[in-house]
CSV table of all heavy atoms in Angstrom, one decimal:
chain,number,residue,atom,x,y,z
A,861,GLN,N,0.8,-1.2,0.0
A,861,GLN,CA,0.0,0.0,0.0
A,861,GLN,C,0.9,1.3,0.0
A,861,GLN,O,0.5,2.3,-0.6
A,861,GLN,CB,-1.0,0.0,1.2
A,861,GLN,CG,-2.0,-1.1,1.1
A,861,GLN,CD,-2.8,-1.0,-0.2
A,861,GLN,OE1,-3.3,0.0,-0.6
A,861,GLN,NE2,-2.9,-2.2,-0.9
A,862,ILE,N,2.0,1.2,0.7
A,862,ILE,CA,2.9,2.4,0.7
A,862,ILE,C,3.4,2.6,-0.8
A,862,ILE,O,3.4,3.7,-1.2
A,862,ILE,CB,4.1,2.1,1.6
A,862,ILE,CG1,3.6,2.2,3.1
A,862,ILE,CG2,5.2,3.2,1.4
A,862,ILE,CD1,4.6,1.8,4.1
A,863,GLN,N,3.7,1.5,-1.5
A,863,GLN,CA,4.2,1.6,-2.8
A,863,GLN,C,3.2,2.3,-3.7
A,863,GLN,O,3.5,3.2,-4.5
A,863,GLN,CB,4.5,0.2,-3.4
A,863,GLN,CG,5.0,0.1,-4.7
A,863,GLN,CD,6.4,0.7,-4.8
A,863,GLN,OE1,6.7,1.4,-5.8
A,863,GLN,NE2,7.3,0.5,-3.9
A,864,ILE,N,1.9,1.9,-3.6
A,864,ILE,CA,0.9,2.4,-4.5
A,864,ILE,C,0.5,3.8,-4.0
A,864,ILE,O,0.3,4.7,-4.9
A,864,ILE,CB,-0.4,1.5,-4.4
A,864,ILE,CG1,-0.1,0.1,-4.9
A,864,ILE,CG2,-1.6,2.1,-5.1
A,864,ILE,CD1,0.5,0.1,-6.3
A,865,ALA,N,0.6,4.1,-2.7
A,865,ALA,CA,0.3,5.5,-2.2
A,865,ALA,C,1.3,6.5,-2.8
A,865,ALA,O,0.9,7.6,-3.2
A,865,ALA,CB,0.3,5.5,-0.7
A,866,HIS,N,2.6,6.1,-2.9
A,866,HIS,CA,3.6,7.1,-3.4
A,866,HIS,C,3.3,7.4,-4.9
A,866,HIS,O,3.4,8.5,-5.3
A,866,HIS,CB,5.0,6.5,-3.2
A,866,HIS,CG,5.5,6.6,-1.8
A,866,HIS,ND1,5.7,7.8,-1.2
A,866,HIS,CD2,6.0,5.7,-1.0
A,866,HIS,CE1,6.2,7.7,0.0
A,866,HIS,NE2,6.4,6.4,0.2
A,867,ARG,N,2.9,6.3,-5.6
A,867,ARG,CA,2.5,6.6,-7.0
A,867,ARG,C,1.3,7.5,-7.2
A,867,ARG,O,1.3,8.4,-7.9
A,867,ARG,CB,2.3,5.3,-7.8
A,867,ARG,CG,1.9,5.5,-9.2
A,867,ARG,CD,1.5,4.3,-10.0
A,867,ARG,NE,0.4,3.5,-9.4
A,867,ARG,CZ,-0.9,3.8,-9.5
A,867,ARG,NH1,-1.3,4.8,-10.1
A,867,ARG,NH2,-1.8,3.0,-8.9
A,868,ARG,N,0.3,7.2,-6.4
A,868,ARG,CA,-0.9,8.0,-6.5
A,868,ARG,C,-0.6,9.5,-6.1
A,868,ARG,O,-1.0,10.4,-6.8
A,868,ARG,CB,-2.0,7.4,-5.6
A,868,ARG,CG,-2.6,6.2,-6.2
A,868,ARG,CD,-3.9,6.0,-5.6
A,868,ARG,NE,-4.6,5.0,-6.5
A,868,ARG,CZ,-5.1,3.9,-6.1
A,868,ARG,NH1,-5.1,3.5,-4.8
A,868,ARG,NH2,-5.7,3.1,-6.9
A,869,LEU,N,0.0,9.6,-5.0
A,869,LEU,CA,0.3,11.0,-4.5
A,869,LEU,C,1.3,11.7,-5.4
A,869,LEU,O,1.1,12.9,-5.7
A,869,LEU,CB,0.9,10.9,-3.1
A,869,LEU,CG,0.9,12.2,-2.3
A,869,LEU,CD1,-0.4,13.0,-2.3
A,869,LEU,CD2,1.4,12.0,-0.8
A,870,GLY,N,2.3,11.0,-5.9
A,870,GLY,CA,3.2,11.7,-6.8
A,870,GLY,C,2.6,12.1,-8.1
A,870,GLY,O,2.8,13.2,-8.6
A,871,SER,N,1.8,11.2,-8.7
A,871,SER,CA,1.2,11.5,-10.0
A,871,SER,C,0.2,12.7,-9.8
A,871,SER,O,0.1,13.5,-10.7
A,871,SER,CB,0.6,10.3,-10.6
A,871,SER,OG,-0.4,9.7,-9.8
A,872,ILE,N,-0.6,12.7,-8.8
A,872,ILE,CA,-1.6,13.8,-8.6
A,872,ILE,C,-0.9,15.1,-8.3
A,872,ILE,O,-1.3,16.1,-8.8
A,872,ILE,CB,-2.7,13.4,-7.5
A,872,ILE,CG1,-3.9,14.3,-7.7
A,872,ILE,CG2,-2.1,13.7,-6.1
A,872,ILE,CD1,-4.7,14.0,-9.0
A,873,MET,N,0.2,15.1,-7.6
A,873,MET,CA,1.0,16.3,-7.4
A,873,MET,C,1.6,16.8,-8.8
A,873,MET,O,1.6,18.0,-9.0
A,873,MET,CB,2.1,16.1,-6.4
A,873,MET,CG,1.6,15.9,-5.0
A,873,MET,SD,2.9,15.6,-3.9
A,873,MET,CE,2.1,15.8,-2.3
A,874,LEU,N,2.0,15.9,-9.6
A,874,LEU,CA,2.4,16.3,-10.9
A,874,LEU,C,1.3,17.0,-11.7
A,874,LEU,O,1.5,18.1,-12.3
A,874,LEU,CB,2.9,15.1,-11.7
A,874,LEU,CG,3.1,15.2,-13.2
A,874,LEU,CD1,4.2,16.2,-13.5
A,874,LEU,CD2,3.4,13.9,-13.9
A,875,PHE,N,0.1,16.4,-11.7
A,875,PHE,CA,-1.0,17.0,-12.4
A,875,PHE,C,-1.4,18.4,-11.8
A,875,PHE,O,-1.9,19.3,-12.5
A,875,PHE,CB,-2.3,16.1,-12.3
A,875,PHE,CG,-2.3,15.1,-13.4
A,875,PHE,CD1,-1.3,14.1,-13.5
A,875,PHE,CD2,-3.3,15.0,-14.2
A,875,PHE,CE1,-1.3,13.2,-14.5
A,875,PHE,CE2,-3.4,14.1,-15.2
A,875,PHE,CZ,-2.4,13.2,-15.4
A,876,MET,N,-1.1,18.6,-10.5
A,876,MET,CA,-1.4,19.9,-9.8
A,876,MET,C,-0.3,20.9,-10.0
A,876,MET,O,-0.4,22.0,-9.6
A,876,MET,CB,-1.7,19.7,-8.4
A,876,MET,CG,-2.9,18.9,-8.1
A,876,MET,SD,-3.2,18.6,-6.3
A,876,MET,CE,-3.7,20.2,-5.8
A,877,GLY,N,0.9,20.5,-10.6
A,877,GLY,CA,2.0,21.4,-10.8
A,877,GLY,C,2.9,21.5,-9.7
A,877,GLY,O,3.8,22.3,-9.7
A,878,ASP,N,2.7,20.6,-8.7
A,878,ASP,CA,3.6,20.6,-7.5
A,878,ASP,C,4.8,19.7,-7.8
A,878,ASP,O,4.8,18.5,-7.2
A,878,ASP,CB,2.8,20.2,-6.3
A,878,ASP,CG,3.6,20.4,-5.0
A,878,ASP,OD1,4.8,20.6,-5.0
A,878,ASP,OD2,2.9,20.2,-3.9
A,879,LEU,N,5.7,20.1,-8.6
A,879,LEU,CA,6.7,19.2,-9.2
A,879,LEU,C,7.7,18.7,-8.2
A,879,LEU,O,8.1,17.6,-8.3
A,879,LEU,CB,7.4,19.9,-10.4
A,879,LEU,CG,6.5,20.4,-11.5
A,879,LEU,CD1,7.3,21.1,-12.6
A,879,LEU,CD2,5.7,19.2,-12.1
A,880,ARG,N,8.1,19.5,-7.3
A,880,ARG,CA,9.1,19.1,-6.3
A,880,ARG,C,8.5,18.0,-5.4
A,880,ARG,O,9.2,17.0,-5.1
A,880,ARG,CB,9.6,20.3,-5.5
A,880,ARG,CG,10.5,21.2,-6.2
A,880,ARG,CD,11.8,20.6,-6.7
A,880,ARG,NE,12.5,21.5,-7.5
A,880,ARG,CZ,13.5,21.2,-8.3
A,880,ARG,NH1,13.9,19.9,-8.3
A,880,ARG,NH2,14.1,22.1,-9.0
A,881,HIS,N,7.3,18.2,-5.0
A,881,HIS,CA,6.7,17.1,-4.1
A,881,HIS,C,6.4,15.9,-4.9
A,881,HIS,O,6.5,14.8,-4.4
A,881,HIS,CB,5.5,17.7,-3.4
A,881,HIS,CG,5.8,18.6,-2.3
A,881,HIS,ND1,5.5,19.9,-2.3
A,881,HIS,CD2,6.5,18.3,-1.1
A,881,HIS,CE1,5.9,20.5,-1.2
A,881,HIS,NE2,6.5,19.5,-0.4
A,882,ALA,N,6.0,16.1,-6.2
A,882,ALA,CA,5.8,14.9,-7.1
A,882,ALA,C,7.1,14.1,-7.2
A,882,ALA,O,7.1,12.9,-7.1
A,882,ALA,CB,5.3,15.4,-8.4
A,883,GLU,N,8.2,14.8,-7.5
A,883,GLU,CA,9.5,14.2,-7.6
A,883,GLU,C,9.8,13.4,-6.3
A,883,GLU,O,10.3,12.3,-6.4
A,883,GLU,CB,10.5,15.2,-7.9
A,883,GLU,CG,11.9,14.7,-8.0
A,883,GLU,CD,13.0,15.8,-8.2
A,883,GLU,OE1,12.8,16.9,-7.6
A,883,GLU,OE2,14.0,15.6,-8.8
A,884,GLU,N,9.6,14.0,-5.2
A,884,GLU,CA,9.9,13.4,-3.9
A,884,GLU,C,9.1,12.1,-3.7
A,884,GLU,O,9.6,11.1,-3.3
A,884,GLU,CB,9.6,14.4,-2.8
A,884,GLU,CG,9.8,13.8,-1.4
A,884,GLU,CD,9.4,14.8,-0.3
A,884,GLU,OE1,9.8,16.0,-0.4
A,884,GLU,OE2,8.7,14.4,0.6
A,885,GLN,N,7.8,12.1,-3.9
A,885,GLN,CA,6.9,11.0,-3.8
A,885,GLN,C,7.3,9.8,-4.7
A,885,GLN,O,7.4,8.7,-4.3
A,885,GLN,CB,5.5,11.3,-3.9
A,885,GLN,CG,4.9,12.2,-2.8
A,885,GLN,CD,4.9,11.5,-1.5
A,885,GLN,OE1,4.6,10.3,-1.4
A,885,GLN,NE2,5.3,12.3,-0.5
A,886,LEU,N,7.5,10.2,-6.0
A,886,LEU,CA,7.8,9.2,-7.0
A,886,LEU,C,9.2,8.6,-6.7
A,886,LEU,O,9.4,7.4,-6.9
A,886,LEU,CB,7.7,9.8,-8.4
A,886,LEU,CG,6.3,10.2,-8.7
A,886,LEU,CD1,6.3,11.2,-9.9
A,886,LEU,CD2,5.4,9.0,-8.9
A,887,THR,N,10.2,9.4,-6.3
A,887,THR,CA,11.5,8.9,-6.0
A,887,THR,C,11.4,7.9,-4.8
A,887,THR,O,12.1,6.9,-4.8
A,887,THR,CB,12.5,10.0,-5.7
A,887,THR,OG1,12.5,10.9,-6.9
A,887,THR,CG2,13.9,9.6,-5.4
A,888,GLN,N,10.6,8.3,-3.8
A,888,GLN,CA,10.5,7.4,-2.7
A,888,GLN,C,9.8,6.0,-3.1
A,888,GLN,O,10.2,5.0,-2.6
A,888,GLN,CB,9.6,8.0,-1.6
A,888,GLN,CG,10.3,9.1,-0.8
A,888,GLN,CD,9.4,9.6,0.3
A,888,GLN,OE1,8.7,8.9,1.0
A,888,GLN,NE2,9.4,10.9,0.5
A,889,GLY,N,8.9,6.1,-4.0
A,889,GLY,CA,8.3,4.8,-4.5
A,889,GLY,C,9.3,4.0,-5.2
A,889,GLY,O,9.3,2.7,-5.0
A,890,ILE,N,10.2,4.6,-6.0
A,890,ILE,CA,11.2,3.8,-6.7
A,890,ILE,C,12.2,3.2,-5.7
A,890,ILE,O,12.6,2.1,-5.8
A,890,ILE,CB,11.9,4.7,-7.8
A,890,ILE,CG1,11.0,5.0,-8.9
A,890,ILE,CG2,13.2,4.0,-8.3
A,890,ILE,CD1,11.5,6.0,-9.9
A,891,ALA,N,12.6,4.0,-4.7
A,891,ALA,CA,13.5,3.6,-3.7
A,891,ALA,C,13.0,2.4,-2.9
A,891,ALA,O,13.8,1.5,-2.4
A,891,ALA,CB,13.9,4.8,-2.8
A,892,ARG,N,11.7,2.4,-2.6
A,892,ARG,CA,11.1,1.3,-1.8
A,892,ARG,C,10.7,0.1,-2.6
A,892,ARG,O,10.2,-0.9,-2.1
A,892,ARG,CB,9.8,1.9,-1.1
A,892,ARG,CG,10.1,2.9,-0.1
A,892,ARG,CD,8.8,3.5,0.4
A,892,ARG,NE,9.0,4.5,1.5
A,892,ARG,CZ,8.9,4.2,2.8
A,892,ARG,NH1,8.7,3.0,3.2
A,892,ARG,NH2,9.1,5.1,3.6
A,893,TYR,N,10.9,0.2,-3.9
A,893,TYR,CA,10.4,-0.9,-4.8
A,893,TYR,C,11.2,-2.2,-4.5
A,893,TYR,O,12.5,-2.2,-4.5
A,893,TYR,CB,10.6,-0.5,-6.3
A,893,TYR,CG,10.1,-1.5,-7.2
A,893,TYR,CD1,8.8,-1.7,-7.4
A,893,TYR,CD2,11.0,-2.3,-7.9
A,893,TYR,CE1,8.3,-2.7,-8.3
A,893,TYR,CE2,10.6,-3.3,-8.8
A,893,TYR,CZ,9.2,-3.4,-9.0
A,893,TYR,OH,8.8,-4.4,-9.9
A,894,ASP,N,10.5,-3.3,-4.4
A,894,ASP,CA,11.1,-4.6,-4.3
A,894,ASP,C,10.5,-5.5,-5.4
A,894,ASP,O,9.3,-5.8,-5.4
A,894,ASP,CB,10.7,-5.2,-2.9
A,894,ASP,CG,11.2,-6.6,-2.6
A,894,ASP,OD1,11.4,-7.4,-3.6
A,894,ASP,OD2,11.5,-6.9,-1.5
A,895,LEU,N,11.4,-5.9,-6.3
A,895,LEU,CA,10.9,-6.6,-7.5
A,895,LEU,C,10.1,-7.8,-7.2
A,895,LEU,O,9.0,-8.0,-7.7
A,895,LEU,CB,12.2,-7.0,-8.3
A,895,LEU,CG,11.9,-8.0,-9.5
A,895,LEU,CD1,11.1,-7.2,-10.6
A,895,LEU,CD2,13.2,-8.5,-10.1
A,896,GLU,N,10.6,-8.6,-6.2
A,896,GLU,CA,9.9,-9.9,-5.9
A,896,GLU,C,8.5,-9.6,-5.3
A,896,GLU,O,7.5,-10.3,-5.5
A,896,GLU,CB,10.7,-10.7,-5.0
A,896,GLU,CG,12.0,-11.2,-5.6
A,896,GLU,CD,11.7,-12.1,-6.9
A,896,GLU,OE1,10.8,-12.9,-6.9
A,896,GLU,OE2,12.4,-11.9,-7.9
A,897,ARG,N,8.5,-8.6,-4.4
A,897,ARG,CA,7.2,-8.3,-3.7
A,897,ARG,C,6.2,-7.5,-4.5
A,897,ARG,O,5.0,-7.8,-4.5
A,897,ARG,CB,7.5,-7.5,-2.4
A,897,ARG,CG,6.3,-7.2,-1.7
A,897,ARG,CD,6.6,-6.6,-0.3
A,897,ARG,NE,5.3,-6.4,0.3
A,897,ARG,CZ,4.8,-7.2,1.2
A,897,ARG,NH1,5.5,-8.3,1.6
A,897,ARG,NH2,3.7,-7.0,1.8
A,898,HIS,N,6.7,-6.5,-5.3
A,898,HIS,CA,5.8,-5.5,-5.9
A,898,HIS,C,5.4,-5.8,-7.3
A,898,HIS,O,4.4,-5.2,-7.8
A,898,HIS,CB,6.3,-4.1,-5.7
A,898,HIS,CG,6.4,-3.7,-4.3
A,898,HIS,ND1,7.6,-3.3,-3.8
A,898,HIS,CD2,5.5,-3.6,-3.3
A,898,HIS,CE1,7.4,-2.9,-2.5
A,898,HIS,NE2,6.1,-3.2,-2.2
A,899,ARG,N,6.1,-6.6,-8.0
A,899,ARG,CA,5.9,-6.9,-9.4
A,899,ARG,C,4.4,-7.4,-9.6
A,899,ARG,O,3.8,-7.1,-10.6
A,899,ARG,CB,6.9,-7.8,-10.0
A,899,ARG,CG,6.7,-8.2,-11.4
A,899,ARG,CD,7.4,-7.5,-12.5
A,899,ARG,NE,8.4,-6.5,-12.4
A,899,ARG,CZ,9.5,-6.5,-13.2
A,899,ARG,NH1,9.8,-7.4,-14.0
A,899,ARG,NH2,10.3,-5.4,-13.1
A,900,SER,N,4.0,-8.2,-8.7
A,900,SER,CA,2.6,-8.8,-8.8
A,900,SER,C,1.5,-7.8,-8.7
A,900,SER,O,0.4,-8.1,-9.0
A,900,SER,CB,2.4,-10.0,-7.8
A,900,SER,OG,2.5,-9.4,-6.5
A,901,LEU,N,1.8,-6.6,-8.1
A,901,LEU,CA,0.8,-5.6,-8.0
A,901,LEU,C,0.2,-5.1,-9.3
A,901,LEU,O,-0.9,-4.6,-9.4
A,901,LEU,CB,1.3,-4.4,-7.2
A,901,LEU,CG,1.7,-4.7,-5.7
A,901,LEU,CD1,2.3,-3.4,-5.1
A,901,LEU,CD2,0.5,-5.1,-4.9
A,902,ALA,N,0.9,-5.4,-10.4
A,902,ALA,CA,0.4,-5.0,-11.7
A,902,ALA,C,-0.9,-5.7,-12.0
A,902,ALA,O,-1.8,-5.1,-12.6
A,902,ALA,CB,1.5,-5.4,-12.8
């Protein structure tokens, strides 16, 4: 859920023009990504 929340929050911040916070959220999502655990979320 943390993984998905970072994507949702980052992408909505991008749409709102809050680019620095979007970058922060999306970067956190990438940093927390675990291939074995999260790939199935697709």
